[in-house]
Amino acid sequence: AGLAAIENCDQIMDRLRLTIAQKGIATIRKIQMGFAKVDKESTGVVANEEFLSVLMKNSVFLSKNESSMILKTFRATELETNYAKFMEELCPKLSTEREEKIQQLFDLIRENTKQPENIIFYRDLISLCDFKNHPAVQSGQMTANNARDLIKTAFDGIQNDKDEITSTKFIQYFRGISCGYPY
């Protein structure tokens, strides 16, 4: 029996993207919230143990070799990992075409709810979702309530304290959702 080939960091990141996509569209948001919880000052850097713990709490498991490779690649200091850089690599920027489509959706919601400014309201976003028509509900993989919870988690924290969502935030959150469909 031969030894398995040692993966490089790009191969590990590709596998992680696929793993996260399989876990669903809210996974990236849950990981972001996990890092935000431990990085109270929003530095983009956490202790190595905290980094690995956030991933594990979200059922993203790494072997010892993979952990070592990821920590080395995204090292901030000997004991800290730059999770912001890791997340940037894990969830790449949207294509121009996707970003334009998301902006069109934002504008459509804004027009349908007659908002004069460049904002929409979270309550309007959620109320416009027809959860029973979600593909996973249609195929019997989940209930409409599960779909609603999934969408709410994916957009958790998008609104400000006045329930407003800007187009910038809307696009940013869709980037996380887009990670659920990496290919």
Side-chain angles (χ1 to χ4, degrees):
L3 294 173
I6 296 175
E7 291 180 298
N8 65 33
C9 194
D10 289 339
Q11 292 169 319
I12 296 167
M13 293 302 288
D14 282 343
R15 188 183 59 72
L16 289 176
R17 284 185 204 96
L18 187 57
T19 298
I20 286 169
Q22 292 169 337
K23 293 185 178 305
I25 62 171
T27 304
I28 284 290
R29 185 64 192 133
K30 289 177 184 176
I31 293 170
Q32 289 169 333
M33 290 186 306
F35 285 132
K37 189 183 262 186
V38 293
D39 181 18
K40 301 206 185 317
E41 296 182 25
S42 301
T43 62
V45 173
V46 294
N48 293 342
E49 298 80 26
E50 291 172 327
F51 175 84
L52 295 172
S53 176
V54 167
L55 294 180
M56 285 189 285
K57 285 177 183 171
N58 287 283
S59 301
V60 177
F61 302 105
L62 299 168
S63 70
K64 193 169 186 151
N65 288 339
E66 290 169 336
S67 296
S68 177
M69 179 92 56
I70 294 291
L71 293 175
K72 182 178 174 186
T73 301
F74 297 99
R75 176 178 291 157
T77 68
E78 194 62 37
L79 300 175
E80 295 178 314
T81 302
N82 185 331
Y83 75 84
K85 221 163 136 181
F86 170 80
M87 292 300 291
E88 184 79 22
E89 180 74 23
L90 186 63
C91 191
K93 292 192 182 317
L94 295 167
S95 68
T96 303
E97 183 181 11
R98 270 191 179 180
E99 198 165 312
E100 288 169 357
K101 295 293 182 197
I102 294 164
Q103 184 63 53
Q104 286 176 350
L105 176 60
F106 180 88
D107 292 340
L108 185 63
I109 294 169
R110 189 180 54 73
E111 290 165 15
N112 283 344
T113 56
K114 299 177 178 26
Q115 295 305 318
E117 298 177 37
N118 194 27
I119 59 147
I120 60 174
F121 289 98
Y122 177 79
R123 65 181 173 269
D124 293 334
L125 170 65
I126 297 302
S127 72
L128 289 171
C129 294
D130 189 357
F131 301 109
K132 69 182 180 307
N133 286 323
H134 188 285
V137 173
Q138 292 290 304
S139 67
Q141 294 174 306
M142 70 170 65
T143 67
N145 285 339
N146 294 134
R148 184 189 66 243
D149 292 345
L150 183 69
I151 297 298
K152 282 186 166 187
T153 300
F155 283 103
D156 186 39
I158 190 173
Q159 74 275 32
N160 65 17
D161 57 355
K162 296 179 185 172
D163 199 45
E164 300 168 333
I165 303 169
T166 64
S167 64
T168 303
K169 277 277 197 186
F170 193 68
I171 291 169
Q172 175 189 350
Y173 274 68
F174 260 94
R175 179 177 173 193
I177 291 170
S178 181
C179 291
Y181 310 96
Y183 304 105

